[in-house]
Amino acid sequence: MQSPTTSESHTGGSAQYTGRPLRPDQARDAASEFLTSLDPPTAESTAQNVLLLVSELVTNALRHAGAVTSLKLRADHVRIQVTVEDPSPAHPQGRAPDWTGLAGGFGWPMIERLTQSLTIVPVRPGGGKAIIAALAR
């Protein structure tokens, strides 16, 4: 099993993290550590929303694209940005939630509600995308 790669930077009132988690729990741990390092700290509700957002985006990338090629976290005094890259060019498709619990459908609508802005961009010709989500700090 490959271990996640990590780099962190704290400069000029902003902080960054870049890694490649192999599992959602690794992504949540990295996000939690990143949030703990912020000064001033984020509100508890914001931290919980970031952890939920990271978990959903990474889970979706693993489930629907087969891998996470990069997880990037960035924070400044105004917002926190979460970027998850995966190898698939396909955009997420919203669908009606399955209330029986068998087919999901809850993650993307939740991601949309948690974020102030949500952008999907290609990361390289022929494949891959980045989902960039921002929340108020």
Side-chain angles (χ1 to χ4, degrees), residues 39-65:
D39 186 25
T42 60
E44 183 62 29
S45 61
T46 300
Q48 290 173 358
N49 287 343
V50 170
L51 292 175
L52 183 55
L53 181 63
V54 165
S55 187
E56 286 296 321
L57 287 172
V58 167
T59 297
N60 284 353
L62 293 169
R63 180 174 293 145
H64 300 292

mmCIF file with all atom_site columns, all heavy atoms in Angstrom, residues 39-65:
data_model
loop_
_atom_site.group_PDB
_atom_site.id
_atom_site.type_symbol
_atom_site.label_atom_id
_atom_site.label_alt_id
_atom_site.label_comp_id
_atom_site.label_asym_id
_atom_site.label_entity_id
_atom_site.label_seq_id
_atom_site.pdbx_PDB_ins_code
_atom_site.Cartn_x
_atom_site.Cartn_y
_atom_site.Cartn_z
_atom_site.occupancy
_atom_site.B_iso_or_equiv
_atom_site.pdbx_formal_charge
_atom_site.auth_seq_id
_atom_site.auth_comp_id
_atom_site.auth_asym_id
_atom_site.auth_atom_id
_atom_site.pdbx_PDB_model_num
ATOM 1   N N   . ASP A 1 39 ? -4.347  29.521 12.523  1.00 0.00 ? 39 ASP A N   1
ATOM 2   C CA  . ASP A 1 39 ? -4.346  30.571 13.530  1.00 0.00 ? 39 ASP A CA  1
ATOM 3   C C   . ASP A 1 39 ? -4.792  31.862 12.871  1.00 0.00 ? 39 ASP A C   1
ATOM 4   O O   . ASP A 1 39 ? -4.112  32.347 11.961  1.00 0.00 ? 39 ASP A O   1
ATOM 5   C CB  . ASP A 1 39 ? -2.949  30.728 14.130  1.00 0.00 ? 39 ASP A CB  1
ATOM 6   C CG  . ASP A 1 39 ? -2.915  31.715 15.281  1.00 0.00 ? 39 ASP A CG  1
ATOM 7   O OD1 . ASP A 1 39 ? -3.979  31.907 15.913  1.00 0.00 ? 39 ASP A OD1 1
ATOM 8   O OD2 . ASP A 1 39 ? -1.847  32.282 15.541  1.00 0.00 ? 39 ASP A OD2 1
ATOM 9   N N   . PRO A 1 40 ? -5.938  32.398 13.235  1.00 0.00 ? 40 PRO A N   1
ATOM 10  C CA  . PRO A 1 40 ? -6.803  31.955 14.312  1.00 0.00 ? 40 PRO A CA  1
ATOM 11  C C   . PRO A 1 40 ? -7.556  30.681 13.920  1.00 0.00 ? 40 PRO A C   1
ATOM 12  O O   . PRO A 1 40 ? -7.755  30.403 12.734  1.00 0.00 ? 40 PRO A O   1
ATOM 13  C CB  . PRO A 1 40 ? -7.771  33.118 14.504  1.00 0.00 ? 40 PRO A CB  1
ATOM 14  C CG  . PRO A 1 40 ? -7.813  33.809 13.178  1.00 0.00 ? 40 PRO A CG  1
ATOM 15  C CD  . PRO A 1 40 ? -6.445  33.612 12.571  1.00 0.00 ? 40 PRO A CD  1
ATOM 16  N N   . PRO A 1 41 ? -7.968  29.927 14.927  1.00 0.00 ? 41 PRO A N   1
ATOM 17  C CA  . PRO A 1 41 ? -8.678  28.675 14.638  1.00 0.00 ? 41 PRO A CA  1
ATOM 18  C C   . PRO A 1 41 ? -10.053 28.945 14.028  1.00 0.00 ? 41 PRO A C   1
ATOM 19  O O   . PRO A 1 41 ? -10.627 30.026 14.192  1.00 0.00 ? 41 PRO A O   1
ATOM 20  C CB  . PRO A 1 41 ? -8.814  28.009 16.015  1.00 0.00 ? 41 PRO A CB  1
ATOM 21  C CG  . PRO A 1 41 ? -8.556  29.072 17.012  1.00 0.00 ? 41 PRO A CG  1
ATOM 22  C CD  . PRO A 1 41 ? -7.774  30.154 16.349  1.00 0.00 ? 41 PRO A CD  1
ATOM 23  N N   . THR A 1 42 ? -10.557 27.950 13.320  1.00 0.00 ? 42 THR A N   1
ATOM 24  C CA  . THR A 1 42 ? -11.896 28.056 12.738  1.00 0.00 ? 42 THR A CA  1
ATOM 25  C C   . THR A 1 42 ? -12.935 27.704 13.798  1.00 0.00 ? 42 THR A C   1
ATOM 26  O O   . THR A 1 42 ? -12.638 27.038 14.789  1.00 0.00 ? 42 THR A O   1
ATOM 27  C CB  . THR A 1 42 ? -12.069 27.092 11.553  1.00 0.00 ? 42 THR A CB  1
ATOM 28  O OG1 . THR A 1 42 ? -11.870 25.759 12.018  1.00 0.00 ? 42 THR A OG1 1
ATOM 29  C CG2 . THR A 1 42 ? -11.098 27.394 10.446  1.00 0.00 ? 42 THR A CG2 1
ATOM 30  N N   . ALA A 1 43 ? -14.147 28.134 13.559  1.00 0.00 ? 43 ALA A N   1
ATOM 31  C CA  . ALA A 1 43 ? -15.260 27.744 14.423  1.00 0.00 ? 43 ALA A CA  1
ATOM 32  C C   . ALA A 1 43 ? -15.449 26.229 14.316  1.00 0.00 ? 43 ALA A C   1
ATOM 33  O O   . ALA A 1 43 ? -15.184 25.631 13.269  1.00 0.00 ? 43 ALA A O   1
ATOM 34  C CB  . ALA A 1 43 ? -16.528 28.470 14.005  1.00 0.00 ? 43 ALA A CB  1
ATOM 35  N N   . GLU A 1 44 ? -15.932 25.622 15.375  1.00 0.00 ? 44 GLU A N   1
ATOM 36  C CA  . GLU A 1 44 ? -16.147 24.169 15.386  1.00 0.00 ? 44 GLU A CA  1
ATOM 37  C C   . GLU A 1 44 ? -17.100 23.740 14.272  1.00 0.00 ? 44 GLU A C   1
ATOM 38  O O   . GLU A 1 44 ? -16.875 22.727 13.612  1.00 0.00 ? 44 GLU A O   1
ATOM 39  C CB  . GLU A 1 44 ? -16.685 23.726 16.744  1.00 0.00 ? 44 GLU A CB  1
ATOM 40  C CG  . GLU A 1 44 ? -16.879 22.229 16.864  1.00 0.00 ? 44 GLU A CG  1
ATOM 41  C CD  . GLU A 1 44 ? -15.589 21.429 16.725  1.00 0.00 ? 44 GLU A CD  1
ATOM 42  O OE1 . GLU A 1 44 ? -14.497 21.929 17.073  1.00 0.00 ? 44 GLU A OE1 1
ATOM 43  O OE2 . GLU A 1 44 ? -15.669 20.264 16.269  1.00 0.00 ? 44 GLU A OE2 1
ATOM 44  N N   . SER A 1 45 ? -18.148 24.514 14.032  1.00 0.00 ? 45 SER A N   1
ATOM 45  C CA  . SER A 1 45 ? -19.101 24.150 12.969  1.00 0.00 ? 45 SER A CA  1
ATOM 46  C C   . SER A 1 45 ? -18.431 24.200 11.592  1.00 0.00 ? 45 SER A C   1
ATOM 47  O O   . SER A 1 45 ? -18.701 23.349 10.736  1.00 0.00 ? 45 SER A O   1
ATOM 48  C CB  . SER A 1 45 ? -20.329 25.058 13.005  1.00 0.00 ? 45 SER A CB  1
ATOM 49  O OG  . SER A 1 45 ? -19.953 26.408 12.802  1.00 0.00 ? 45 SER A OG  1
ATOM 50  N N   . THR A 1 46 ? -17.546 25.160 11.381  1.00 0.00 ? 46 THR A N   1
ATOM 51  C CA  . THR A 1 46 ? -16.821 25.239 10.110  1.00 0.00 ? 46 THR A CA  1
ATOM 52  C C   . THR A 1 46 ? -15.896 24.041 9.960   1.00 0.00 ? 46 THR A C   1
ATOM 53  O O   . THR A 1 46 ? -15.833 23.428 8.889   1.00 0.00 ? 46 THR A O   1
ATOM 54  C CB  . THR A 1 46 ? -16.016 26.549 10.024  1.00 0.00 ? 46 THR A CB  1
ATOM 55  O OG1 . THR A 1 46 ? -16.922 27.648 10.121  1.00 0.00 ? 46 THR A OG1 1
ATOM 56  C CG2 . THR A 1 46 ? -15.231 26.635 8.718   1.00 0.00 ? 46 THR A CG2 1
ATOM 57  N N   . ALA A 1 47 ? -15.183 23.699 11.019  1.00 0.00 ? 47 ALA A N   1
ATOM 58  C CA  . ALA A 1 47 ? -14.286 22.538 10.977  1.00 0.00 ? 47 ALA A CA  1
ATOM 59  C C   . ALA A 1 47 ? -15.066 21.267 10.653  1.00 0.00 ? 47 ALA A C   1
ATOM 60  O O   . ALA A 1 47 ? -14.628 20.455 9.828   1.00 0.00 ? 47 ALA A O   1
ATOM 61  C CB  . ALA A 1 47 ? -13.536 22.392 12.300  1.00 0.00 ? 47 ALA A CB  1
ATOM 62  N N   . GLN A 1 48 ? -16.222 21.090 11.266  1.00 0.00 ? 48 GLN A N   1
ATOM 63  C CA  . GLN A 1 48 ? -17.045 19.905 10.981  1.00 0.00 ? 48 GLN A CA  1
ATOM 64  C C   . GLN A 1 48 ? -17.498 19.889 9.524   1.00 0.00 ? 48 GLN A C   1
ATOM 65  O O   . GLN A 1 48 ? -17.500 18.834 8.879   1.00 0.00 ? 48 GLN A O   1
ATOM 66  C CB  . GLN A 1 48 ? -18.249 19.862 11.922  1.00 0.00 ? 48 GLN A CB  1
ATOM 67  C CG  . GLN A 1 48 ? -17.868 19.560 13.353  1.00 0.00 ? 48 GLN A CG  1
ATOM 68  C CD  . GLN A 1 48 ? -19.046 19.689 14.304  1.00 0.00 ? 48 GLN A CD  1
ATOM 69  O OE1 . GLN A 1 48 ? -20.160 20.035 13.908  1.00 0.00 ? 48 GLN A OE1 1
ATOM 70  N NE2 . GLN A 1 48 ? -18.789 19.411 15.571  1.00 0.00 ? 48 GLN A NE2 1
ATOM 71  N N   . ASN A 1 49 ? -17.867 21.053 8.999   1.00 0.00 ? 49 ASN A N   1
ATOM 72  C CA  . ASN A 1 49 ? -18.283 21.128 7.594   1.00 0.00 ? 49 ASN A CA  1
ATOM 73  C C   . ASN A 1 49 ? -17.129 20.803 6.650   1.00 0.00 ? 49 ASN A C   1
ATOM 74  O O   . ASN A 1 49 ? -17.318 20.117 5.636   1.00 0.00 ? 49 ASN A O   1
ATOM 75  C CB  . ASN A 1 49 ? -18.860 22.500 7.275   1.00 0.00 ? 49 ASN A CB  1
ATOM 76  C CG  . ASN A 1 49 ? -20.231 22.706 7.871   1.00 0.00 ? 49 ASN A CG  1
ATOM 77  O OD1 . ASN A 1 49 ? -20.907 21.754 8.262   1.00 0.00 ? 49 ASN A OD1 1
ATOM 78  N ND2 . ASN A 1 49 ? -20.645 23.953 7.969   1.00 0.00 ? 49 ASN A ND2 1
ATOM 79  N N   . VAL A 1 50 ? -15.928 21.278 6.968   1.00 0.00 ? 50 VAL A N   1
ATOM 80  C CA  . VAL A 1 50 ? -14.761 20.972 6.132   1.00 0.00 ? 50 VAL A CA  1
ATOM 81  C C   . VAL A 1 50 ? -14.479 19.473 6.160   1.00 0.00 ? 50 VAL A C   1
ATOM 82  O O   . VAL A 1 50 ? -14.237 18.864 5.109   1.00 0.00 ? 50 VAL A O   1
ATOM 83  C CB  . VAL A 1 50 ? -13.517 21.776 6.581   1.00 0.00 ? 50 VAL A CB  1
ATOM 84  C CG1 . VAL A 1 50 ? -12.260 21.266 5.884   1.00 0.00 ? 50 VAL A CG1 1
ATOM 85  C CG2 . VAL A 1 50 ? -13.718 23.259 6.310   1.00 0.00 ? 50 VAL A CG2 1
ATOM 86  N N   . LEU A 1 51 ? -14.520 18.861 7.323   1.00 0.00 ? 51 LEU A N   1
ATOM 87  C CA  . LEU A 1 51 ? -14.262 17.421 7.422   1.00 0.00 ? 51 LEU A CA  1
ATOM 88  C C   . LEU A 1 51 ? -15.302 16.617 6.644   1.00 0.00 ? 51 LEU A C   1
ATOM 89  O O   . LEU A 1 51 ? -14.959 15.651 5.957   1.00 0.00 ? 51 LEU A O   1
ATOM 90  C CB  . LEU A 1 51 ? -14.230 16.978 8.887   1.00 0.00 ? 51 LEU A CB  1
ATOM 91  C CG  . LEU A 1 51 ? -13.063 17.505 9.697   1.00 0.00 ? 51 LEU A CG  1
ATOM 92  C CD1 . LEU A 1 51 ? -13.201 17.100 11.166  1.00 0.00 ? 51 LEU A CD1 1
ATOM 93  C CD2 . LEU A 1 51 ? -11.733 17.025 9.142   1.00 0.00 ? 51 LEU A CD2 1
ATOM 94  N N   . LEU A 1 52 ? -16.558 17.012 6.735   1.00 0.00 ? 52 LEU A N   1
ATOM 95  C CA  . LEU A 1 52 ? -17.615 16.330 5.980   1.00 0.00 ? 52 LEU A CA  1
ATOM 96  C C   . LEU A 1 52 ? -17.412 16.517 4.479   1.00 0.00 ? 52 LEU A C   1
ATOM 97  O O   . LEU A 1 52 ? -17.518 15.561 3.704   1.00 0.00 ? 52 LEU A O   1
ATOM 98  C CB  . LEU A 1 52 ? -18.982 16.855 6.413   1.00 0.00 ? 52 LEU A CB  1
ATOM 99  C CG  . LEU A 1 52 ? -20.210 16.218 5.774   1.00 0.00 ? 52 LEU A CG  1
ATOM 100 C CD1 . LEU A 1 52 ? -20.219 14.702 5.959   1.00 0.00 ? 52 LEU A CD1 1
ATOM 101 C CD2 . LEU A 1 52 ? -21.463 16.849 6.352   1.00 0.00 ? 52 LEU A CD2 1
ATOM 102 N N   . LEU A 1 53 ? -17.072 17.724 4.076   1.00 0.00 ? 53 LEU A N   1
ATOM 103 C CA  . LEU A 1 53 ? -16.828 18.013 2.664   1.00 0.00 ? 53 LEU A CA  1
ATOM 104 C C   . LEU A 1 53 ? -15.664 17.197 2.118   1.00 0.00 ? 53 LEU A C   1
ATOM 105 O O   . LEU A 1 53 ? -15.764 16.567 1.058   1.00 0.00 ? 53 LEU A O   1
ATOM 106 C CB  . LEU A 1 53 ? -16.558 19.507 2.496   1.00 0.00 ? 53 LEU A CB  1
ATOM 107 C CG  . LEU A 1 53 ? -16.302 20.021 1.094   1.00 0.00 ? 53 LEU A CG  1
ATOM 108 C CD1 . LEU A 1 53 ? -17.516 19.812 0.210   1.00 0.00 ? 53 LEU A CD1 1
ATOM 109 C CD2 . LEU A 1 53 ? -15.933 21.495 1.147   1.00 0.00 ? 53 LEU A CD2 1
ATOM 110 N N   . VAL A 1 54 ? -14.557 17.178 2.845   1.00 0.00 ? 54 VAL A N   1
ATOM 111 C CA  . VAL A 1 54 ? -13.383 16.393 2.428   1.00 0.00 ? 54 VAL A CA  1
ATOM 112 C C   . VAL A 1 54 ? -13.753 14.920 2.320   1.00 0.00 ? 54 VAL A C   1
ATOM 113 O O   . VAL A 1 54 ? -13.421 14.248 1.340   1.00 0.00 ? 54 VAL A O   1
ATOM 114 C CB  . VAL A 1 54 ? -12.206 16.609 3.415   1.00 0.00 ? 54 VAL A CB  1
ATOM 115 C CG1 . VAL A 1 54 ? -11.130 15.553 3.224   1.00 0.00 ? 54 VAL A CG1 1
ATOM 116 C CG2 . VAL A 1 54 ? -11.632 18.013 3.248   1.00 0.00 ? 54 VAL A CG2 1
ATOM 117 N N   . SER A 1 55 ? -14.445 14.413 3.315   1.00 0.00 ? 55 SER A N   1
ATOM 118 C CA  . SER A 1 55 ? -14.824 13.002 3.313   1.00 0.00 ? 55 SER A CA  1
ATOM 119 C C   . SER A 1 55 ? -15.706 12.653 2.118   1.00 0.00 ? 55 SER A C   1
ATOM 120 O O   . SER A 1 55 ? -15.477 11.649 1.427   1.00 0.00 ? 55 SER A O   1
ATOM 121 C CB  . SER A 1 55 ? -15.551 12.672 4.617   1.00 0.00 ? 55 SER A CB  1
ATOM 122 O OG  . SER A 1 55 ? -15.790 11.293 4.716   1.00 0.00 ? 55 SER A OG  1
ATOM 123 N N   . GLU A 1 56 ? -16.695 13.478 1.830   1.00 0.00 ? 56 GLU A N   1
ATOM 124 C CA  . GLU A 1 56 ? -17.600 13.218 0.706   1.00 0.00 ? 56 GLU A CA  1
ATOM 125 C C   . GLU A 1 56 ? -16.888 13.319 -0.636  1.00 0.00 ? 56 GLU A C   1
ATOM 126 O O   . GLU A 1 56 ? -17.076 12.475 -1.509  1.00 0.00 ? 56 GLU A O   1
ATOM 127 C CB  . GLU A 1 56 ? -18.790 14.180 0.745   1.00 0.00 ? 56 GLU A CB  1
ATOM 128 C CG  . GLU A 1 56 ? -19.802 13.858 1.805   1.00 0.00 ? 56 GLU A CG  1
ATOM 129 C CD  . GLU A 1 56 ? -20.490 12.516 1.588   1.00 0.00 ? 56 GLU A CD  1
ATOM 130 O OE1 . GLU A 1 56 ? -20.790 12.157 0.433   1.00 0.00 ? 56 GLU A OE1 1
ATOM 131 O OE2 . GLU A 1 56 ? -20.752 11.828 2.585   1.00 0.00 ? 56 GLU A OE2 1
ATOM 132 N N   . LEU A 1 57 ? -16.074 14.367 -0.813  1.00 0.00 ? 57 LEU A N   1
ATOM 133 C CA  . LEU A 1 57 ? -15.381 14.527 -2.091  1.00 0.00 ? 57 LEU A CA  1
ATOM 134 C C   . LEU A 1 57 ? -14.399 13.388 -2.350  1.00 0.00 ? 57 LEU A C   1
ATOM 135 O O   . LEU A 1 57 ? -14.305 12.874 -3.466  1.00 0.00 ? 57 LEU A O   1
ATOM 136 C CB  . LEU A 1 57 ? -14.664 15.879 -2.141  1.00 0.00 ? 57 LEU A CB  1
ATOM 137 C CG  . LEU A 1 57 ? -15.557 17.103 -2.308  1.00 0.00 ? 57 LEU A CG  1
ATOM 138 C CD1 . LEU A 1 57 ? -14.747 18.385 -2.142  1.00 0.00 ? 57 LEU A CD1 1
ATOM 139 C CD2 . LEU A 1 57 ? -16.272 17.086 -3.650  1.00 0.00 ? 57 LEU A CD2 1
ATOM 140 N N   . VAL A 1 58 ? -13.658 12.994 -1.334  1.00 0.00 ? 58 VAL A N   1
ATOM 141 C CA  . VAL A 1 58 ? -12.690 11.901 -1.497  1.00 0.00 ? 58 VAL A CA  1
ATOM 142 C C   . VAL A 1 58 ? -13.415 10.574 -1.714  1.00 0.00 ? 58 VAL A C   1
ATOM 143 O O   . VAL A 1 58 ? -13.035 9.789  -2.592  1.00 0.00 ? 58 VAL A O   1
ATOM 144 C CB  . VAL A 1 58 ? -11.719 11.846 -0.299  1.00 0.00 ? 58 VAL A CB  1
ATOM 145 C CG1 . VAL A 1 58 ? -10.921 10.551 -0.291  1.00 0.00 ? 58 VAL A CG1 1
ATOM 146 C CG2 . VAL A 1 58 ? -10.793 13.062 -0.332  1.00 0.00 ? 58 VAL A CG2 1
ATOM 147 N N   . THR A 1 59 ? -14.461 10.326 -0.959  1.00 0.00 ? 59 THR A N   1
ATOM 148 C CA  . THR A 1 59 ? -15.237 9.095  -1.145  1.00 0.00 ? 59 THR A CA  1
ATOM 149 C C   . THR A 1 59 ? -15.804 9.024  -2.555  1.00 0.00 ? 59 THR A C   1
ATOM 150 O O   . THR A 1 59 ? -15.729 7.978  -3.220  1.00 0.00 ? 59 THR A O   1
ATOM 151 C CB  . THR A 1 59 ? -16.371 9.006  -0.109  1.00 0.00 ? 59 THR A CB  1
ATOM 152 O OG1 . THR A 1 59 ? -15.783 8.939  1.199   1.00 0.00 ? 59 THR A OG1 1
ATOM 153 C CG2 . THR A 1 59 ? -17.245 7.785  -0.337  1.00 0.00 ? 59 THR A CG2 1
ATOM 154 N N   . ASN A 1 60 ? -16.354 10.130 -3.045  1.00 0.00 ? 60 ASN A N   1
ATOM 155 C CA  . ASN A 1 60 ? -16.902 10.149 -4.407  1.00 0.00 ? 60 ASN A CA  1
ATOM 156 C C   . ASN A 1 60 ? -15.816 9.914  -5.449  1.00 0.00 ? 60 ASN A C   1
ATOM 157 O O   . ASN A 1 60 ? -16.032 9.189  -6.428  1.00 0.00 ? 60 ASN A O   1
ATOM 158 C CB  . ASN A 1 60 ? -17.614 11.468 -4.681  1.00 0.00 ? 60 ASN A CB  1
ATOM 159 C CG  . ASN A 1 60 ? -18.969 11.555 -4.019  1.00 0.00 ? 60 ASN A CG  1
ATOM 160 O OD1 . ASN A 1 60 ? -19.465 10.580 -3.450  1.00 0.00 ? 60 ASN A OD1 1
ATOM 161 N ND2 . ASN A 1 60 ? -19.558 12.726 -4.052  1.00 0.00 ? 60 ASN A ND2 1
ATOM 162 N N   . ALA A 1 61 ? -14.646 10.531 -5.267  1.00 0.00 ? 61 ALA A N   1
ATOM 163 C CA  . ALA A 1 61 ? -13.553 10.324 -6.227  1.00 0.00 ? 61 ALA A CA  1
ATOM 164 C C   . ALA A 1 61 ? -13.130 8.858  -6.251  1.00 0.00 ? 61 ALA A C   1
ATOM 165 O O   . ALA A 1 61 ? -12.901 8.287  -7.326  1.00 0.00 ? 61 ALA A O   1
ATOM 166 C CB  . ALA A 1 61 ? -12.362 11.214 -5.888  1.00 0.00 ? 61 ALA A CB  1
ATOM 167 N N   . LEU A 1 62 ? -13.033 8.242  -5.086  1.00 0.00 ? 62 LEU A N   1
ATOM 168 C CA  . LEU A 1 62 ? -12.642 6.831  -5.030  1.00 0.00 ? 62 LEU A CA  1
ATOM 169 C C   . LEU A 1 62 ? -13.722 5.942  -5.637  1.00 0.00 ? 62 LEU A C   1
ATOM 170 O O   . LEU A 1 62 ? -13.421 5.027  -6.404  1.00 0.00 ? 62 LEU A O   1
ATOM 171 C CB  . LEU A 1 62 ? -12.353 6.422  -3.583  1.00 0.00 ? 62 LEU A CB  1
ATOM 172 C CG  . LEU A 1 62 ? -11.123 7.069  -2.957  1.00 0.00 ? 62 LEU A CG  1
ATOM 173 C CD1 . LEU A 1 62 ? -11.087 6.807  -1.458  1.00 0.00 ? 62 LEU A CD1 1
ATOM 174 C CD2 . LEU A 1 62 ? -9.851  6.560  -3.627  1.00 0.00 ? 62 LEU A CD2 1
ATOM 175 N N   . ARG A 1 63 ? -14.965 6.226  -5.319  1.00 0.00 ? 63 ARG A N   1
ATOM 176 C CA  . ARG A 1 63 ? -16.077 5.384  -5.778  1.00 0.00 ? 63 ARG A CA  1
ATOM 177 C C   . ARG A 1 63 ? -16.340 5.536  -7.270  1.00 0.00 ? 63 ARG A C   1
ATOM 178 O O   . ARG A 1 63 ? -16.566 4.561  -7.975  1.00 0.00 ? 63 ARG A O   1
ATOM 179 C CB  . ARG A 1 63 ? -17.333 5.722  -4.991  1.00 0.00 ? 63 ARG A CB  1
ATOM 180 C CG  . ARG A 1 63 ? -18.554 4.890  -5.419  1.00 0.00 ? 63 ARG A CG  1
ATOM 181 C CD  . ARG A 1 63 ? -19.742 5.141  -4.533  1.00 0.00 ? 63 ARG A CD  1
ATOM 182 N NE  . ARG A 1 63 ? -19.448 4.634  -3.199  1.00 0.00 ? 63 ARG A NE  1
ATOM 183 C CZ  . ARG A 1 63 ? -19.869 5.187  -2.072  1.00 0.00 ? 63 ARG A CZ  1
ATOM 184 N NH1 . ARG A 1 63 ? -20.622 6.265  -2.103  1.00 0.00 ? 63 ARG A NH1 1
ATOM 185 N NH2 . ARG A 1 63 ? -19.568 4.663  -0.914  1.00 0.00 ? 63 ARG A NH2 1
ATOM 186 N N   . HIS A 1 64 ? -16.306 6.765  -7.769  1.00 0.00 ? 64 HIS A N   1
ATOM 187 C CA  . HIS A 1 64 ? -16.728 7.013  -9.147  1.00 0.00 ? 64 HIS A CA  1
ATOM 188 C C   . HIS A 1 64 ? -15.585 7.197  -10.143 1.00 0.00 ? 64 HIS A C   1
ATOM 189 O O   . HIS A 1 64 ? -15.791 7.034  -11.340 1.00 0.00 ? 64 HIS A O   1
ATOM 190 C CB  . HIS A 1 64 ? -17.663 8.224  -9.198  1.00 0.00 ? 64 HIS A CB  1
ATOM 191 C CG  . HIS A 1 64 ? -18.895 8.043  -8.366  1.00 0.00 ? 64 HIS A CG  1
ATOM 192 N ND1 . HIS A 1 64 ? -19.884 7.139  -8.671  1.00 0.00 ? 64 HIS A ND1 1
ATOM 193 C CD2 . HIS A 1 64 ? -19.278 8.641  -7.210  1.00 0.00 ? 64 HIS A CD2 1
ATOM 194 C CE1 . HIS A 1 64 ? -20.833 7.186  -7.756  1.00 0.00 ? 64 HIS A CE1 1
ATOM 195 N NE2 . HIS A 1 64 ? -20.492 8.090  -6.857  1.00 0.00 ? 64 HIS A NE2 1
ATOM 196 N N   . ALA A 1 65 ? -14.393 7.559  -9.657  1.00 0.00 ? 65 ALA A N   1
ATOM 197 C CA  . ALA A 1 65 ? -13.250 7.765  -10.563 1.00 0.00 ? 65 ALA A CA  1
ATOM 198 C C   . ALA A 1 65 ? -12.123 6.785  -10.299 1.00 0.00 ? 65 ALA A C   1
ATOM 199 O O   . ALA A 1 65 ? -11.163 6.729  -11.055 1.00 0.00 ? 65 ALA A O   1
ATOM 200 C CB  . ALA A 1 65 ? -12.724 9.200  -10.443 1.00 0.00 ? 65 ALA A CB  1
#
